[in-house]
Amino acid sequence: MFNTKSVTFDIGGGREVTIETGKLARQADGAVTVRQGNCIILATVVANKEPKEGQSFFPLSVDYQEKFASAGRVPGSFFKREARLNDYEILTSRLIDRALRPLFPEDYFCDVQVLITLVSSDAEVLPDSLACLAASAALAVSDIPIQEIISEVRIAKVDGKFLVNPTRDELAKSDMEFLIAATEKNIMMVEGEAKECQEEDLVKALEIAHDAIRIQVKAQQDLRNQLGLTTKREYTKPYRNEELNEKIIAFAKDKVYAIASSASAKHDRSDAFDALKKEVKEFLGEELPDEDKKLIGHYYGELQYHVVRDMILNDRKRLDGRGLEDVRPLAMEISPLPTPHGSALFTRGETQSLTTVTLGTPLDELLVESAHKSEHTKFILHYNFPPFSTGEVKMMRGVGRREVGHGNLAMRSLKQMMPGSEYPYTVRVVSDILESNGSSSMATVCAGSLALMDAGVLLKKHVSGVAMGLITKGDKFGVLTDILGDEDHLGDMDFKVTGTREGICGVQMDIKVDGLSMDVMRAALAQAKKGRLHILDAMYACIPAHRDDVKPHAPRMVKLVIEKEFIGAVIGPGGKVIQEIQRETGATINIEEVNDRGEVSIFSPQKESLDKAVNWVKGLVAVPVIGDTYEGVVKGIKEFGAFVEFLPKKEGLLHISEISWKRLETMDGIFKEGDKVKVKLLDVDPRTGKYKLSRKVLMPKPEGVKPQGGE
């Protein structure tokens, strides 16, 4: 019934990966399963035979989804079924999309849908590092006209060693982590994070990844050969008219160059290009056939693309008049907003981010749910890109994939410098992009770093980021620092590098040129470092270190670590004790068991309330020590002495004979309830556990005074 074909290869350390086709989803144009251990991924691809009428772009959709059943779990949502893709699935989908998109011919406009599904999970195998392999293999066993086969691997550095597709446990101990996609010959896409790695570490990771990817590409080719596939399907190519193209070039080339070299502002330049486009249409005349009229925009865009690239390479000058290595003017300000717990306004040329920081309690932690496990995170970063930031009118329909991806890059960059798990606050950073002409994600990193310092978060160092471009033609190449929006699509490599003065924290690269040498890559990374350091200097001049304390209106929090056996004492029967503390002090208390110890997070807007709750909890977990001195409160008075609470819920008897060196005949007028009194713990009755206190031993013994008890 099934014509099953498979191929198996080793990814190192005896770990085998098997790609199989012919058994599942046979009506798709291409379908495979990729298996490593108990991890199984199903990937399918279907492409329409013809493009839609008037289609002028390539409509590729990629969706990666994890079925909760794959790990034997029920979704936690109200409906108990998989809903919209979560952020992790969206980010994985974006990584695959970015790697696959360049594989298709430029004139291929048929709808293509790639679906990748985790159907069986393995506790130690990370499925996202196999997902792109599965997607590429599904395309490889189809007749869809891709130009090359690719794959993707994760490279991590653990204890100084580079690992290909590490396990979950290994990844948790890594100093750097990059997902890298490539064909047999060329690196295509890079994304990842590091704890201040050096540029040469990244280059080394690329080389190791490429060697591993070549094995996976060969396996896909072997599977294709088993199926006897030698050709790809024919497709309808869009109408083209080279004679029309020549006319447009002859009429407009010099005029395009004049606009491009005028060093004008974004909207002025855009208006000038639009006006020239109208001139081109008028020059060509109304009698032009309709199919040719539709081509004017295409050829005019191509002309702009090539003229600007040549201008940058030959004149070493850019659209706004800058040199290739120049960063646009910087302006930065902290605390532009009075009420948020931290805020910053970062402006770089025509790109601007207004970023806020909010400090929350452990109750504000974000639940991140995947098929494998659910976990909470205390550091959240959200990125918003409203249409007015580019002077456009668009419907606001929630967060798109672009916003998720840009926010994730900024989050994982700043995360490297955040304090560890001992830091009590949940921290939410929100970047609202107010202007955009060039990388707003890098503006988010810079503004986020400034706002975190402003909020008093214990950020170890400033983190900055810069967006770079690379243009190559023959032996010539030019690396562009701090690219404009108009330069974003011009380059053969677009890359963003974030980091501190000491090293790289985050990288995102899309490489579109064949045969990019590692020497050119090194030059590009060195120039990116120079730009990053320039921005960092300005950031340190704005605020050199985090504030010593949170702002007066920010919440205050203390985390206490207690022994496991005291957790019950703090909570009390049915939560009675912890509820009483919260009621009496006004503080919020959260307690959980972590690593066989109790973590008590105490939160309050007022310092007095916080201190009262902290002392109360400390008292509950403190063990009374004979000989120690305590500040107590009189709780009751009897004829034979006073009962003093010297620790929360711990009372001892201060006998009349231990109050003063003088003999006291009565307790009248000595104390009243609520009085504070300093006492020393003399002894604990071994039979009853009662505490014996003394006040007089803390007082100097007067000369000539006969003490009680005949001393």
Side-chain angles (χ1 to χ4, degrees), residues 580-594:
E580 182 185 2
I581 300 172
Q582 293 181 117
R583 184 173 60 253
E584 294 294 326
T585 66
T588 300
I589 302 176
N590 183 69
I591 185 166
E592 57 184 333
E593 186 179 331
V594 179

mmCIF file of all heavy atoms in Angstrom, residues 580-594:
data_model
loop_
_atom_site.group_PDB
_atom_site.id
_atom_site.type_symbol
_atom_site.label_atom_id
_atom_site.label_comp_id
_atom_site.label_asym_id
_atom_site.label_seq_id
_atom_site.Cartn_x
_atom_site.Cartn_y
_atom_site.Cartn_z
ATOM 1 N N GLU A 580 -2.642 36.543 57.519
ATOM 2 C CA GLU A 580 -2.581 37.519 58.604
ATOM 3 C C GLU A 580 -1.467 38.534 58.358
ATOM 4 O O GLU A 580 -1.647 39.741 58.572
ATOM 5 C CB GLU A 580 -2.347 36.806 59.936
ATOM 6 C CG GLU A 580 -2.310 37.760 61.124
ATOM 7 C CD GLU A 580 -1.962 37.072 62.430
ATOM 8 O OE1 GLU A 580 -1.701 35.839 62.412
ATOM 9 O OE2 GLU A 580 -1.925 37.763 63.469
ATOM 10 N N ILE A 581 -0.310 38.045 57.882
ATOM 11 C CA ILE A 581 0.808 38.961 57.595
ATOM 12 C C ILE A 581 0.388 39.972 56.538
ATOM 13 O O ILE A 581 0.627 41.180 56.664
ATOM 14 C CB ILE A 581 2.055 38.185 57.131
ATOM 15 C CG1 ILE A 581 2.520 37.198 58.199
ATOM 16 C CG2 ILE A 581 3.187 39.156 56.797
ATOM 17 C CD1 ILE A 581 3.631 36.268 57.742
ATOM 18 N N GLN A 582 -0.239 39.485 55.466
ATOM 19 C CA GLN A 582 -0.650 40.372 54.378
ATOM 20 C C GLN A 582 -1.716 41.368 54.859
ATOM 21 O O GLN A 582 -1.680 42.552 54.503
ATOM 22 C CB GLN A 582 -1.174 39.549 53.189
ATOM 23 C CG GLN A 582 -0.084 38.728 52.514
ATOM 24 C CD GLN A 582 -0.574 37.938 51.321
ATOM 25 O OE1 GLN A 582 -0.146 38.154 50.209
ATOM 26 N NE2 GLN A 582 -1.501 37.015 51.555
ATOM 27 N N ARG A 583 -2.637 40.886 55.690
ATOM 28 C CA ARG A 583 -3.702 41.759 56.183
ATOM 29 C C ARG A 583 -3.145 42.840 57.112
ATOM 30 O O ARG A 583 -3.522 44.012 57.020
ATOM 31 C CB ARG A 583 -4.743 40.915 56.917
ATOM 32 C CG ARG A 583 -5.960 41.705 57.389
ATOM 33 C CD ARG A 583 -7.035 40.787 57.970
ATOM 34 N NE ARG A 583 -6.563 40.009 59.116
ATOM 35 C CZ ARG A 583 -6.296 38.703 59.080
ATOM 36 N NH1 ARG A 583 -6.481 38.017 57.948
ATOM 37 N NH2 ARG A 583 -5.875 38.061 60.155
ATOM 38 N N GLU A 584 -2.240 42.453 57.982
ATOM 39 C CA GLU A 584 -1.726 43.394 58.983
ATOM 40 C C GLU A 584 -0.706 44.376 58.407
ATOM 41 O O GLU A 584 -0.586 45.506 58.878
ATOM 42 C CB GLU A 584 -1.092 42.621 60.144
ATOM 43 C CG GLU A 584 -2.076 41.807 60.963
ATOM 44 C CD GLU A 584 -3.070 42.687 61.717
ATOM 45 O OE1 GLU A 584 -2.659 43.787 62.142
ATOM 46 O OE2 GLU A 584 -4.235 42.289 61.855
ATOM 47 N N THR A 585 0.048 43.950 57.404
ATOM 48 C CA THR A 585 1.121 44.803 56.870
ATOM 49 C C THR A 585 0.752 45.498 55.569
ATOM 50 O O THR A 585 1.358 46.506 55.209
ATOM 51 C CB THR A 585 2.403 43.981 56.620
ATOM 52 O OG1 THR A 585 2.157 43.015 55.568
ATOM 53 C CG2 THR A 585 2.835 43.248 57.882
ATOM 54 N N GLY A 586 -0.213 44.950 54.841
ATOM 55 C CA GLY A 586 -0.547 45.504 53.528
ATOM 56 C C GLY A 586 0.382 45.037 52.426
ATOM 57 O O GLY A 586 0.272 45.481 51.276
ATOM 58 N N ALA A 587 1.311 44.157 52.737
ATOM 59 C CA ALA A 587 2.246 43.629 51.740
ATOM 60 C C ALA A 587 1.634 42.412 51.034
ATOM 61 O O ALA A 587 0.694 41.792 51.535
ATOM 62 C CB ALA A 587 3.563 43.244 52.395
ATOM 63 N N THR A 588 2.192 42.112 49.854
ATOM 64 C CA THR A 588 1.812 40.902 49.118
ATOM 65 C C THR A 588 2.956 39.902 49.237
ATOM 66 O O THR A 588 4.120 40.258 49.022
ATOM 67 C CB THR A 588 1.548 41.216 47.634
ATOM 68 O OG1 THR A 588 0.485 42.160 47.551
ATOM 69 C CG2 THR A 588 1.157 39.961 46.875
ATOM 70 N N ILE A 589 2.612 38.664 49.569
ATOM 71 C CA ILE A 589 3.651 37.652 49.790
ATOM 72 C C ILE A 589 3.396 36.458 48.886
ATOM 73 O O ILE A 589 2.266 35.957 48.797
ATOM 74 C CB ILE A 589 3.681 37.199 51.262
ATOM 75 C CG1 ILE A 589 3.935 38.406 52.174
ATOM 76 C CG2 ILE A 589 4.735 36.131 51.487
ATOM 77 C CD1 ILE A 589 3.876 38.084 53.640
ATOM 78 N N ASN A 590 4.454 36.025 48.225
ATOM 79 C CA ASN A 590 4.386 34.828 47.389
ATOM 80 C C ASN A 590 5.478 33.868 47.850
ATOM 81 O O ASN A 590 6.628 34.266 48.034
ATOM 82 C CB ASN A 590 4.591 35.193 45.915
ATOM 83 C CG ASN A 590 4.446 33.994 44.999
ATOM 84 O OD1 ASN A 590 3.355 33.471 44.840
ATOM 85 N ND2 ASN A 590 5.541 33.563 44.390
ATOM 86 N N ILE A 591 5.117 32.602 48.066
ATOM 87 C CA ILE A 591 6.087 31.625 48.540
ATOM 88 C C ILE A 591 6.004 30.375 47.676
ATOM 89 O O ILE A 591 4.921 29.925 47.306
ATOM 90 C CB ILE A 591 5.851 31.280 50.030
ATOM 91 C CG1 ILE A 591 6.954 30.337 50.548
ATOM 92 C CG2 ILE A 591 4.468 30.711 50.272
ATOM 93 C CD1 ILE A 591 6.974 30.221 52.054
ATOM 94 N N GLU A 592 7.160 29.857 47.289
ATOM 95 C CA GLU A 592 7.209 28.630 46.498
ATOM 96 C C GLU A 592 8.476 27.865 46.832
ATOM 97 O O GLU A 592 9.464 28.430 47.310
ATOM 98 C CB GLU A 592 7.149 28.943 45.000
ATOM 99 C CG GLU A 592 8.240 29.878 44.503
ATOM 100 C CD GLU A 592 8.075 30.236 43.044
ATOM 101 O OE1 GLU A 592 7.482 29.418 42.314
ATOM 102 O OE2 GLU A 592 8.535 31.303 42.637
ATOM 103 N N GLU A 593 8.428 26.571 46.568
ATOM 104 C CA GLU A 593 9.580 25.713 46.816
ATOM 105 C C GLU A 593 10.423 25.626 45.558
ATOM 106 O O GLU A 593 9.947 25.262 44.492
ATOM 107 C CB GLU A 593 9.127 24.314 47.237
ATOM 108 C CG GLU A 593 10.273 23.403 47.654
ATOM 109 C CD GLU A 593 9.802 22.035 48.097
ATOM 110 O OE1 GLU A 593 8.664 21.927 48.613
ATOM 111 O OE2 GLU A 593 10.554 21.067 47.892
ATOM 112 N N VAL A 594 11.692 25.995 45.649
ATOM 113 C CA VAL A 594 12.615 25.975 44.526
ATOM 114 C C VAL A 594 13.910 25.325 44.994
ATOM 115 O O VAL A 594 14.517 25.770 45.978
ATOM 116 C CB VAL A 594 12.902 27.405 43.995
ATOM 117 C CG1 VAL A 594 13.890 27.347 42.838
ATOM 118 C CG2 VAL A 594 11.610 28.092 43.559
#
